[in-house]
Amino acid sequence: MAEPLPSHSQHTSLPAVEEAAGLPAVPLMSDAVSSADEPSERAGSPLPALQPLAEAARAYAARKDSPNTRRAYASDWQLFERWCLRQGLDPLVPDPRIVGLFLAAAADGHGLPKVSVATLERRLAALTTHYRSAGTPLARDDRHITDVMAGIRRSHARPPRQKEAVLGEDLLAMVATLESDLRGLRDKAILLLGFAGGLRRSEIVGLDCGPRQTTDGASWIEILAEGALLTVRGKTGWRTVEVGRGSSERSCPVLALETWLRLGRIAHGPVFRSIAGAKGVVSAARLTDKHVVRLVKRTALAAGLRGDLPEGERALAFAGHSLRAGLASSAEVEEALVQRQLGHASAEMTRRYQRRRERFRVNLTRASGL
C-alpha cells in the first residue's frame, strides 16, 4: 500500500520562512486555495534546519544597498517620520497624498530645510524602499506624487553642478601643503592613488590589503614591480585598475602607498585608517569617505586653487570627484582607456568628466567663418 501523502500542515510555509528572513512574503496559488480551509495550520514557524538559511537571506537583503545608501535612506525616513508626527499624520500609512505634501514642503522650505531636486528624488526612493520592506508598498506612480514631482522639477531643476577638476600640477601643489608626519603620508597616498586610479571616494576608503580580509571592504590592492593593481567593485560592477609608478618620488602614487603601509605597519585589513591622538597611533578603523571630501577641499584651498573665485564658491568647487575629473581631464590618451579606468558604462559619461581638456579645443565660431 502506498504511503499517504503528508498533509499541508506538515510542511513549513514559504511565507513563514520569508517573514523570518525579513523579506516580503510571496503568495502562492495553493495558499489562496487552502487558506480558507485551514487558517490555523498556516501559522507556523520555520523548521530549525531552515533558520540559518533565513538568517543568510536576511543578511543578503540587508546588503542590497551600499553602506552610504543605507545611511542616507535611514536619515531620510527619520526626517519624514518626524515631519509627519509634527503634522499629526501617521508615517506608517503609505499615503501618496502625505508623501506629496512632504515633497512640496522640502522643495519650498516650509517647515523643512530647502533641498535640491536630486535630494528629493533620493528621499522619495528612501520612502519607497522603506514601505516596500515593511510589506506595505507605496504607489509611487500615484498622481499625487508624480504630478508634484513633475512640478518641482519644472520649477526648481538646475543643471548639475560639476566639481572643479584637479589637474596634475594642481595635485602636486595640494600634496605640498601636507605635513611630513604619518597623517600627511597617509593623505598623500590617498590623493595620489585616488587621482591616478580615477577612484571614487568610497572606492578609495574601501580598499583592503588583500581579498576577503574584511566584511566591509569592497576592493583590494596588489603591489607589483610595475605598479599597483587594484580590484575594485564600483557602481558598474567589478573592474581592474592599473596604477603605474610615477616619474619621480614626489609624484609616484605607488611609492606613496608603499611608504604609508610600511610606516603605518599595515599588512592586513583596511588600507586607509584613522589615526588617533597627538602621537599618531594608527587604529584598526577604516576611514569614511567624508575624509576624502574634507581632504580634497582643505588641500585645494591651502594650495590656492581657483583663487579667482570668492571664498564661499571656492569651498564648494572641490570635492572627492575632483580627483576623478582631474584624471579624465589630464590624461592625454584614448578616451576608451580613460573610460575603462574610471569604470564608466558609457563614453558620454567619461566626456562629462573631461572638464578642461575639451574646452575650446575646436573653435566652431572660426570654423564657420566668423
Side-chain angles (χ1 to χ4, degrees):
M1 179 182 295
E3 294 184 2
L5 293 175
S7 67
H8 183 77
S9 61
Q10 289 178 283
H11 295 277
T12 302
S13 65
L14 178 60
V17 176
E18 290 167 331
E19 182 180 359
L23 301 173
V26 180
L28 300 178
M29 182 67 69
S30 60
D31 295 342
V33 174
S34 62
S35 59
D37 298 330
E38 42 185 352
S40 60
E41 294 179 350
R42 297 291 300 147
S45 59
L47 294 173
L50 291 179
Q51 203 60 30
L53 186 59
E55 293 175 359
R58 186 187 302 111
Y60 281 125
R63 291 199 294 268
K64 67 183 178 64
D65 296 315
S66 69
N68 286 342
T69 300
R70 291 199 297 270
R71 283 193 293 267
Y73 279 11
S75 176
D76 291 338
W77 173 258
Q78 290 169 5
L79 179 68
F80 173 69
E81 197 171 34
R82 290 194 300 267
W83 179 84
C84 285
L85 294 177
R86 288 199 303 268
Q87 311 304 319
L89 303 171
D90 186 359
L92 301 182
V93 177
D95 190 335
R97 296 170 299 177
I98 295 177
V99 174
L101 292 175
F102 170 73
L103 296 172
D108 290 343
H110 290 316
L112 289 171
K114 191 173 183 177
V115 295
S116 66
V117 175
T119 300
L120 288 178
E121 296 277 11
R122 190 200 68 209
R123 288 181 178 172
L124 179 56
L127 300 185
T128 304
T129 300
H130 183 93
Y131 282 124
R132 184 175 63 245
S133 299
T136 55
L138 172 69
R140 185 168 177 170
D141 57 350
D142 186 278
R143 65 179 183 84
H144 289 94
I145 296 178
T146 57
D147 289 356
V148 168
M149 281 304 304
I152 289 174
R153 293 188 194 99
R154 187 176 182 85
S155 302
H156 300 293
R158 298 289 183 272
R161 184 188 181 103
Q162 293 183 322
K163 296 301 180 182
E164 191 73 19
V166 170
L167 304 184
E169 61 270 21
D170 299 329
L171 187 69
L172 294 180
M174 292 163 59
V175 168
T177 67
L178 298 172
E179 301 290 339
S180 299
D181 56 5
L182 203 53
R183 285 189 177 87
L185 294 174
R186 177 200 62 191
D187 290 344
K188 177 181 179 180
I190 289 175
L191 290 175
L192 291 176
L193 189 69
F195 177 89
L199 303 176
R200 298 176 177 89
R201 65 195 193 198
S202 59
E203 294 170 349
I204 297 173
V205 299
L207 288 170
D208 283 345
C209 294
R212 296 179 296 278
Q213 291 186 351
T214 64
T215 57
D216 60 338
S219 315
W220 64 86
I221 64 172
E222 183 182 2
I223 299 180
L224 308 173
E226 302 87 351
L229 198 62
L230 314 181
T231 303
V232 178
R233 183 177 64 192
K235 291 183 177 180
T236 57
W238 291 96
R239 73 183 191 276
T240 300
V241 176
E242 300 176 1
V243 178
R245 295 187 180 272
S247 57
S248 68
E249 293 185 359
R250 182 172 69 106
S251 62
C252 179
V254 183
L255 179 59
L257 176 62
E258 292 173 320
T259 303
W260 158 245
L261 293 176
R262 185 179 72 256
L263 297 182
R265 298 181 179 180
I266 300 172
H268 188 278
V271 170
F272 295 113
R273 312 177 180 200
S274 60
I275 299 176
K279 294 183 179 180
V281 178
V282 179
S283 73
R286 185 188 305 275
L287 284 176
T288 68
D289 61 341
K290 290 184 174 57
H291 176 82
V292 180
V293 179
R294 292 191 293 264
L295 173 63
V296 172
K297 191 183 299 290
R298 172 170 56 84
T299 53
L301 296 180
L305 303 187
R306 290 307 310 268
D308 56 308
L309 296 176
E311 195 65 24
E313 291 187 24
R314 287 184 67 214
L316 298 174
F318 299 95
H321 260 58
S322 297
L323 300 178
R324 281 169 61 80
L327 176 72
S329 300
S330 301
E332 295 289 343
V333 296
E334 295 179 23
E335 185 179 84
L337 297 176
V338 178
Q339 179 182 343
R340 185 179 67 183
Q341 186 84 339
L342 271 62
H344 285 155
S346 67
E348 180 60 32
M349 178 60 70
T350 302
R351 295 186 194 108
R352 289 175 55 186
Y353 276 68
Q354 294 171 329
R355 306 283 198 267
R356 303 184 199 175
R357 193 176 83 170
E358 303 299 327
R359 193 179 294 166
F360 298 114
R361 174 171 288 192
V362 177
N363 190 327
L364 292 180
T365 305
R366 293 183 180 179
S368 64
L370 299 182

Coordinates of all heavy atoms in Angstrom, one line a residue, residues 225-302:
A225 N 56.0 45.0 -9.4 CA 57.1 45.8 -9.8 C 56.7 47.0 -10.7 O 57.3 48.0 -10.6 CB 58.1 44.9 -10.5
E226 N 55.7 46.7 -11.5 CA 55.3 47.8 -12.5 C 54.4 48.8 -11.9 O 54.3 49.9 -12.4 CB 54.6 47.1 -13.7 CG 55.4 46.1 -14.4 CD 55.3 44.7 -13.8 OE1 54.7 44.6 -12.7 OE2 55.7 43.8 -14.5
G227 N 53.8 48.5 -10.8 CA 52.9 49.4 -10.1 C 51.9 48.7 -9.2 O 52.2 47.6 -8.7
A228 N 50.7 49.3 -9.0 CA 49.7 48.7 -8.1 C 48.5 48.3 -9.0 O 48.1 49.0 -9.8 CB 49.3 49.7 -7.1
L229 N 48.0 47.1 -8.7 CA 46.9 46.5 -9.4 C 45.7 46.5 -8.4 O 45.8 45.9 -7.3 CB 47.1 45.1 -9.8 CG 46.2 44.5 -10.9 CD1 46.3 45.4 -12.2 CD2 46.6 43.1 -11.2
L230 N 44.6 47.2 -8.7 CA 43.5 47.4 -7.8 C 42.3 46.6 -8.4 O 42.0 46.8 -9.6 CB 43.1 48.8 -7.6 CG 44.2 49.8 -7.3 CD1 43.6 51.2 -7.1 CD2 45.0 49.4 -6.1
T231 N 41.7 45.8 -7.6 CA 40.5 45.1 -8.0 C 39.3 45.8 -7.2 O 39.3 45.8 -6.0 CB 40.5 43.6 -7.6 OG1 41.6 43.0 -8.2 CG2 39.2 42.9 -8.0
V232 N 38.5 46.5 -8.0 CA 37.6 47.5 -7.5 C 36.1 47.1 -7.8 O 35.9 46.7 -9.0 CB 37.8 48.9 -8.0 CG1 36.8 49.9 -7.5 CG2 39.3 49.3 -7.6
R233 N 35.3 47.1 -6.8 CA 33.9 46.9 -7.1 C 33.2 48.3 -7.0 O 33.0 48.9 -5.9 CB 33.2 46.0 -6.0 CG 31.8 45.7 -6.3 CD 31.2 44.7 -5.3 NE 31.2 45.3 -3.9 CZ 31.0 44.5 -2.8 NH1 30.8 43.3 -2.9 NH2 31.0 45.1 -1.6
G234 N 32.8 48.8 -8.1 CA 32.2 50.1 -8.2 C 30.7 50.0 -8.6 O 30.1 49.0 -8.5
K235 N 30.2 51.1 -9.0 CA 28.7 51.2 -9.4 C 28.4 50.4 -10.5 O 27.2 49.9 -10.6 CB 28.4 52.7 -9.7 CG 28.4 53.6 -8.4 CD 28.0 55.0 -8.8 CE 27.9 55.9 -7.6 NZ 27.5 57.3 -7.9
T236 N 29.3 50.2 -11.5 CA 29.0 49.4 -12.7 C 29.5 48.0 -12.6 O 29.6 47.3 -13.6 CB 29.6 50.1 -13.9 OG1 31.0 50.3 -13.7 CG2 29.0 51.4 -14.1
G237 N 29.9 47.5 -11.4 CA 30.4 46.2 -11.2 C 31.9 46.1 -11.0 O 32.5 47.2 -10.6
W238 N 32.5 45.0 -11.1 CA 34.0 44.8 -10.8 C 34.8 45.3 -12.0 O 34.4 45.2 -13.2 CB 34.3 43.4 -10.6 CG 33.7 42.8 -9.3 CD1 32.6 42.1 -9.2 CD2 34.3 42.9 -8.0 NE1 32.4 41.8 -7.9 CE2 33.5 42.2 -7.1 CE3 35.5 43.5 -7.5 CZ2 33.7 42.1 -5.8 CZ3 35.8 43.4 -6.2 CH2 34.9 42.7 -5.3
R239 N 35.9 45.9 -11.7 CA 36.9 46.3 -12.7 C 38.3 46.3 -12.1 O 38.5 46.3 -10.9 CB 36.6 47.7 -13.2 CG 36.9 48.9 -12.3 CD 36.5 50.2 -12.9 NE 37.1 51.4 -12.2 CZ 36.5 51.9 -11.1 NH1 35.4 51.4 -10.6 NH2 37.0 52.9 -10.5
T240 N 39.3 46.1 -13.0 CA 40.7 46.1 -12.6 C 41.3 47.5 -13.0 O 41.2 48.0 -14.1 CB 41.4 45.0 -13.4 OG1 40.9 43.7 -13.0 CG2 42.9 45.0 -12.9
V241 N 41.9 48.1 -12.0 CA 42.5 49.4 -12.2 C 44.0 49.3 -12.1 O 44.6 48.8 -11.1 CB 42.0 50.4 -11.1 CG1 42.7 51.8 -11.2 CG2 40.5 50.6 -11.2
E242 N 44.7 49.7 -13.1 CA 46.2 49.7 -13.1 C 46.7 51.1 -12.7 O 46.4 52.1 -13.4 CB 46.7 49.3 -14.5 CG 46.3 47.9 -14.9 CD 46.7 47.6 -16.3 OE1 47.4 48.5 -16.9 OE2 46.4 46.5 -16.8
V243 N 47.5 51.2 -11.7 CA 48.1 52.4 -11.3 C 49.6 52.2 -11.5 O 50.3 51.6 -10.7 CB 47.8 52.8 -9.8 CG1 48.5 54.1 -9.4 CG2 46.3 52.9 -9.7
G244 N 50.2 52.9 -12.5 CA 51.6 52.7 -12.8 C 52.4 53.6 -11.8 O 51.9 54.5 -11.2
R245 N 53.7 53.4 -11.8 CA 54.6 54.2 -11.0 C 54.9 55.5 -11.7 O 54.9 55.6 -12.9 CB 55.9 53.4 -10.8 CG 55.8 52.2 -9.9 CD 57.1 51.5 -9.6 NE 56.8 50.3 -8.8 CZ 56.7 50.3 -7.5 NH1 56.8 51.4 -6.8 NH2 56.5 49.1 -6.8
G246 N 55.0 56.5 -10.8 CA 55.2 57.9 -11.4 C 56.6 58.2 -11.8 O 57.5 57.3 -11.7
S247 N 56.8 59.4 -12.4 CA 58.1 59.7 -13.0 C 59.1 60.2 -11.9 O 60.3 60.4 -12.2 CB 57.9 60.8 -14.0 OG 57.2 62.0 -13.4
S248 N 58.6 60.5 -10.7 CA 59.5 60.9 -9.6 C 58.9 60.5 -8.3 O 57.8 60.1 -8.2 CB 59.6 62.5 -9.6 OG 58.4 63.1 -9.2
E249 N 59.8 60.5 -7.2 CA 59.3 60.1 -5.9 C 58.3 61.0 -5.4 O 57.4 60.6 -4.6 CB 60.5 60.1 -4.9 CG 61.6 59.0 -5.2 CD 62.6 58.9 -4.2 OE1 62.6 59.8 -3.2 OE2 63.5 58.1 -4.3
R250 N 58.3 62.3 -5.8 CA 57.4 63.3 -5.3 C 56.0 63.0 -5.8 O 55.0 63.3 -5.1 CB 57.8 64.7 -5.7 CG 57.0 65.8 -5.3 CD 57.6 67.1 -5.6 NE 57.7 67.4 -7.0 CZ 56.9 68.3 -7.6 NH1 56.0 69.0 -6.9 NH2 56.9 68.5 -8.9
S251 N 55.9 62.4 -7.0 CA 54.6 62.3 -7.6 C 54.1 60.8 -7.8 O 53.0 60.6 -8.4 CB 54.6 62.9 -9.0 OG 55.5 62.3 -9.8
C252 N 54.9 59.8 -7.3 CA 54.5 58.4 -7.5 C 53.5 58.0 -6.5 O 53.7 57.9 -5.3 CB 55.8 57.6 -7.4 SG 55.5 55.8 -7.7
P253 N 52.3 57.6 -7.0 CA 51.3 57.1 -6.1 C 51.6 55.7 -5.5 O 51.2 55.5 -4.4 CB 50.0 57.0 -7.0 CG 50.6 56.8 -8.4 CD 51.8 57.6 -8.4
V254 N 52.3 54.9 -6.2 CA 52.6 53.6 -5.7 C 53.7 53.7 -4.6 O 53.5 53.0 -3.5 CB 53.2 52.7 -6.8 CG1 53.5 51.3 -6.3 CG2 52.2 52.6 -8.0
L255 N 54.7 54.5 -4.7 CA 55.6 54.8 -3.7 C 55.0 55.4 -2.5 O 55.3 55.0 -1.3 CB 56.8 55.7 -4.2 CG 57.8 56.0 -3.2 CD1 58.5 54.8 -2.7 CD2 58.9 57.0 -3.7
A256 N 54.1 56.3 -2.7 CA 53.3 56.9 -1.5 C 52.5 55.8 -0.8 O 52.5 55.8 0.4 CB 52.4 58.0 -2.0
L257 N 51.9 54.9 -1.5 CA 51.1 53.9 -0.9 C 52.1 52.9 -0.1 O 51.8 52.5 1.0 CB 50.4 53.1 -2.0 CG 49.6 51.8 -1.6 CD1 48.5 52.2 -0.6 CD2 49.0 51.1 -2.8
E258 N 53.2 52.5 -0.7 CA 54.1 51.6 -0.1 C 54.7 52.3 1.2 O 54.8 51.6 2.3 CB 55.3 51.3 -1.0 CG 54.9 50.4 -2.2 CD 56.0 50.2 -3.2 OE1 56.7 51.2 -3.4 OE2 56.2 49.1 -3.7
T259 N 55.0 53.6 1.2 CA 55.5 54.3 2.3 C 54.5 54.3 3.5 O 54.8 54.0 4.6 CB 55.9 55.7 1.9 OG1 56.9 55.7 0.9 CG2 56.5 56.4 3.1
W260 N 53.2 54.6 3.1 CA 52.2 54.6 4.1 C 52.0 53.2 4.8 O 51.9 53.1 6.0 CB 50.9 55.1 3.5 CG 49.7 54.7 4.3 CD1 48.7 53.9 3.9 CD2 49.3 55.1 5.6 NE1 47.7 53.7 4.8 CE2 48.1 54.4 5.9 CE3 49.9 55.9 6.6 CZ2 47.4 54.6 7.1 CZ3 49.2 56.0 7.8 CH2 48.0 55.4 8.1
L261 N 51.9 52.2 4.0 CA 51.7 50.9 4.5 C 52.9 50.4 5.4 O 52.7 49.8 6.4 CB 51.6 49.9 3.4 CG 50.3 50.0 2.5 CD1 50.3 49.0 1.4 CD2 49.0 49.8 3.4
R262 N 54.1 50.8 5.0 CA 55.3 50.4 5.8 C 55.4 51.1 7.1 O 55.5 50.5 8.2 CB 56.6 50.6 5.0 CG 57.8 50.1 5.7 CD 59.1 50.4 4.8 NE 59.5 51.8 4.8 CZ 59.3 52.5 3.7 NH1 58.7 52.1 2.6 NH2 59.7 53.8 3.8
L263 N 55.3 52.4 7.0 CA 55.4 53.2 8.3 C 54.1 53.1 9.2 O 54.2 53.2 10.4 CB 55.6 54.7 7.9 CG 57.0 55.0 7.2 CD1 57.1 56.5 6.9 CD2 58.2 54.4 8.0
G264 N 53.0 52.9 8.6 CA 51.8 52.6 9.3 C 51.7 51.2 9.9 O 50.7 50.9 10.6
R265 N 52.6 50.3 9.4 CA 52.6 48.9 9.8 C 51.3 48.3 9.5 O 50.7 47.6 10.4 CB 53.0 48.8 11.3 CG 54.3 49.4 11.7 CD 54.7 49.2 13.1 NE 56.0 49.7 13.4 CZ 56.6 49.7 14.7 NH1 55.9 49.2 15.7 NH2 57.8 50.2 14.8
I266 N 50.9 48.4 8.3 CA 49.6 47.9 7.8 C 49.9 46.8 6.8 O 50.5 47.0 5.8 CB 48.7 48.9 7.2 CG1 48.4 50.1 8.2 CG2 47.4 48.3 6.7 CD1 47.8 51.3 7.6
A267 N 49.5 45.5 7.2 CA 49.7 44.4 6.3 C 48.4 43.6 6.0 O 48.4 42.7 5.2 CB 50.8 43.5 6.8
H268 N 47.4 43.9 6.8 CA 46.1 43.2 6.7 C 45.0 44.1 7.0 O 45.1 45.0 7.9 CB 46.1 42.0 7.6 CG 45.0 41.1 7.5 ND1 43.8 41.3 8.0 CD2 44.9 39.9 6.8 CE1 42.9 40.3 7.7 NE2 43.6 39.4 6.9
G269 N 43.9 44.0 6.3 CA 42.7 44.8 6.6 C 42.6 46.1 5.8 O 43.3 46.2 4.7
P270 N 41.9 47.1 6.3 CA 41.8 48.3 5.6 C 43.1 49.0 5.3 O 44.0 49.0 6.2 CB 40.9 49.2 6.5 CG 40.2 48.2 7.4 CD 41.2 47.0 7.6
V271 N 43.2 49.5 4.1 CA 44.5 50.3 3.7 C 44.5 51.6 4.4 O 45.5 52.0 5.0 CB 44.5 50.4 2.2 CG1 45.7 51.3 1.8 CG2 44.7 49.0 1.6
F272 N 43.4 52.4 4.3 CA 43.4 53.7 4.9 C 42.6 53.8 6.1 O 41.4 53.5 6.1 CB 42.9 54.7 3.8 CG 43.8 54.8 2.6 CD1 43.3 54.4 1.4 CD2 45.1 55.3 2.7 CE1 44.2 54.5 0.2 CE2 45.9 55.4 1.6 CZ 45.4 55.0 0.4
R273 N 43.3 54.1 7.2 CA 42.7 54.1 8.6 C 42.8 55.4 9.3 O 43.6 56.3 8.9 CB 43.4 53.0 9.4 CG 43.5 51.7 8.7 CD 44.3 50.7 9.5 NE 44.4 49.4 8.8 CZ 44.7 48.3 9.4 NH1 44.9 48.2 10.7 NH2 44.8 47.1 8.7
S274 N 42.0 55.6 10.3 CA 42.1 56.8 11.1 C 43.3 56.7 12.0 O 43.8 55.6 12.3 CB 40.8 56.9 12.0 OG 40.7 55.8 12.8
I275 N 43.8 57.9 12.4 CA 45.0 58.0 13.3 C 44.5 58.7 14.5 O 44.0 59.8 14.4 CB 46.1 58.7 12.5 CG1 46.5 57.9 11.3 CG2 47.3 59.0 13.5 CD1 47.6 58.6 10.5
A276 N 44.8 58.1 15.7 CA 44.3 58.7 16.9 C 45.4 59.3 17.7 O 46.5 58.9 17.7 CB 43.6 57.6 17.8
G277 N 45.0 60.4 18.4 CA 45.9 61.1 19.4 C 47.0 61.9 18.7 O 47.3 61.8 17.5
A278 N 47.6 62.7 19.6 CA 48.8 63.5 19.1 C 50.0 62.7 18.7 O 50.8 63.1 17.9 CB 49.1 64.5 20.3
K279 N 50.1 61.5 19.3 CA 51.2 60.6 18.9 C 51.1 59.9 17.6 O 52.0 59.3 17.1 CB 51.5 59.6 20.1 CG 51.9 60.2 21.4 CD 52.2 59.2 22.4 CE 52.6 59.8 23.7 NZ 52.9 58.7 24.8
G280 N 49.9 60.0 17.0 CA 49.7 59.4 15.7 C 49.6 57.9 15.7 O 50.4 57.3 15.0
V281 N 48.7 57.4 16.6 CA 48.6 55.9 16.6 C 47.6 55.5 15.6 O 46.4 55.9 15.5 CB 48.1 55.5 18.0 CG1 47.9 53.9 18.1 CG2 49.1 55.9 19.1
V282 N 48.0 54.6 14.7 CA 47.2 54.1 13.6 C 46.2 53.1 14.2 O 46.6 52.1 14.8 CB 48.0 53.4 12.5 CG1 47.0 52.9 11.4 CG2 49.0 54.4 11.9
S283 N 44.9 53.4 14.0 CA 43.8 52.5 14.6 C 43.5 51.4 13.5 O 43.9 51.4 12.4 CB 42.6 53.3 15.0 OG 41.9 53.7 13.8
A284 N 42.6 50.5 14.0 CA 42.1 49.5 13.0 C 40.9 50.0 12.3 O 40.4 49.3 11.4 CB 41.8 48.2 13.8
A285 N 40.4 51.1 12.6 CA 39.1 51.6 12.0 C 39.4 52.2 10.6 O 40.3 53.0 10.4 CB 38.5 52.7 12.9
R286 N 38.5 51.8 9.7 CA 38.6 52.3 8.3 C 38.1 53.8 8.3 O 37.2 54.1 8.9 CB 37.7 51.4 7.4 CG 37.8 51.8 5.9 CD 36.7 51.0 5.1 NE 36.8 49.6 5.4 CZ 37.6 48.8 4.7 NH1 38.4 49.3 3.8 NH2 37.6 47.5 4.9
L287 N 38.8 54.6 7.4 CA 38.4 55.9 7.2 C 37.0 55.9 6.5 O 36.7 55.0 5.7 CB 39.4 56.7 6.4 CG 40.7 57.2 7.0 CD1 41.6 57.8 6.0 CD2 40.4 58.2 8.1
T288 N 36.2 57.0 6.7 CA 35.0 57.1 5.9 C 35.3 58.0 4.7 O 36.3 58.7 4.6 CB 33.9 57.8 6.8 OG1 34.3 59.2 7.0 CG2 33.7 57.1 8.1
D289 N 34.3 57.9 3.7 CA 34.5 58.7 2.5 C 34.5 60.2 2.7 O 35.0 60.9 1.9 CB 33.5 58.2 1.5 CG 32.1 58.5 1.9 OD1 31.9 58.6 3.1 OD2 31.2 58.5 1.0
K290 N 33.9 60.6 3.9 CA 33.9 62.0 4.1 C 35.3 62.6 4.4 O 35.5 63.8 4.1 CB 33.0 62.3 5.4 CG 31.5 62.1 5.1 CD 30.7 62.4 6.3 CE 29.2 62.3 6.1 NZ 28.8 61.0 5.6
H291 N 36.2 61.7 4.8 CA 37.6 62.2 5.0 C 38.2 62.6 3.7 O 38.9 63.6 3.6 CB 38.4 61.1 5.6 CG 39.9 61.5 5.8 ND1 40.4 62.2 6.8 CD2 41.0 61.2 5.0 CE1 41.7 62.4 6.6 NE2 42.0 61.8 5.5
V292 N 37.9 61.9 2.6 CA 38.4 62.2 1.3 C 37.8 63.6 0.8 O 38.6 64.4 0.3 CB 38.0 61.1 0.3 CG1 38.6 61.5 -1.1 CG2 38.6 59.8 0.7
V293 N 36.6 63.8 1.1 CA 36.0 65.1 0.7 C 36.7 66.2 1.4 O 37.0 67.2 0.8 CB 34.5 65.1 1.0 CG1 33.8 66.4 0.6 CG2 33.8 64.0 0.3
R294 N 36.8 66.1 2.7 CA 37.4 67.2 3.5 C 38.9 67.4 3.1 O 39.4 68.5 3.0 CB 37.3 66.8 5.0 CG 35.9 66.9 5.5 CD 35.9 66.8 7.1 NE 36.4 65.5 7.5 CZ 35.6 64.5 7.9 NH1 34.3 64.6 7.8 NH2 36.1 63.3 8.3
L295 N 39.6 66.3 2.8 CA 41.0 66.3 2.4 C 41.2 67.1 1.1 O 42.0 68.0 1.0 CB 41.6 64.9 2.3 CG 43.0 64.8 1.8 CD1 44.0 65.5 2.7 CD2 43.4 63.3 1.6
V296 N 40.4 66.7 0.1 CA 40.5 67.4 -1.2 C 40.2 68.9 -1.0 O 40.9 69.8 -1.6 CB 39.6 66.7 -2.2 CG1 39.5 67.6 -3.5 CG2 40.0 65.3 -2.5
K297 N 39.1 69.2 -0.3 CA 38.7 70.6 -0.2 C 39.8 71.4 0.6 O 40.1 72.5 0.2 CB 37.4 70.6 0.6 CG 36.7 72.0 0.6 CD 35.4 71.9 1.5 CE 34.4 71.0 0.9 NZ 33.8 71.4 -0.4
R298 N 40.3 70.8 1.7 CA 41.2 71.5 2.5 C 42.5 71.8 1.8 O 43.1 72.9 1.8 CB 41.5 70.7 3.8 CG 42.6 71.3 4.7 CD 42.7 70.6 6.0 NE 42.8 69.1 5.9 CZ 43.9 68.4 5.7 NH1 45.1 69.1 5.6 NH2 43.9 67.1 5.6
T299 N 43.1 70.8 1.1 CA 44.4 71.0 0.4 C 44.2 71.8 -0.8 O 45.1 72.6 -1.2 CB 44.9 69.6 0.1 OG1 44.0 68.8 -0.7 CG2 45.3 68.8 1.3
A300 N 43.1 71.8 -1.5 CA 42.9 72.6 -2.7 C 42.8 74.1 -2.3 O 43.4 75.0 -2.9 CB 41.6 72.2 -3.4
L301 N 42.1 74.4 -1.2 CA 42.1 75.8 -0.7 C 43.5 76.2 -0.2 O 43.9 77.4 -0.4 CB 41.1 75.9 0.4 CG 39.6 75.6 0.1 CD1 38.7 75.8 1.3 CD2 39.2 76.5 -1.1
A302 N 44.2 75.3 0.5 CA 45.5 75.7 1.0 C 46.5 75.9 -0.1 O 47.4 76.7 0.0 CB 46.0 74.6 1.9

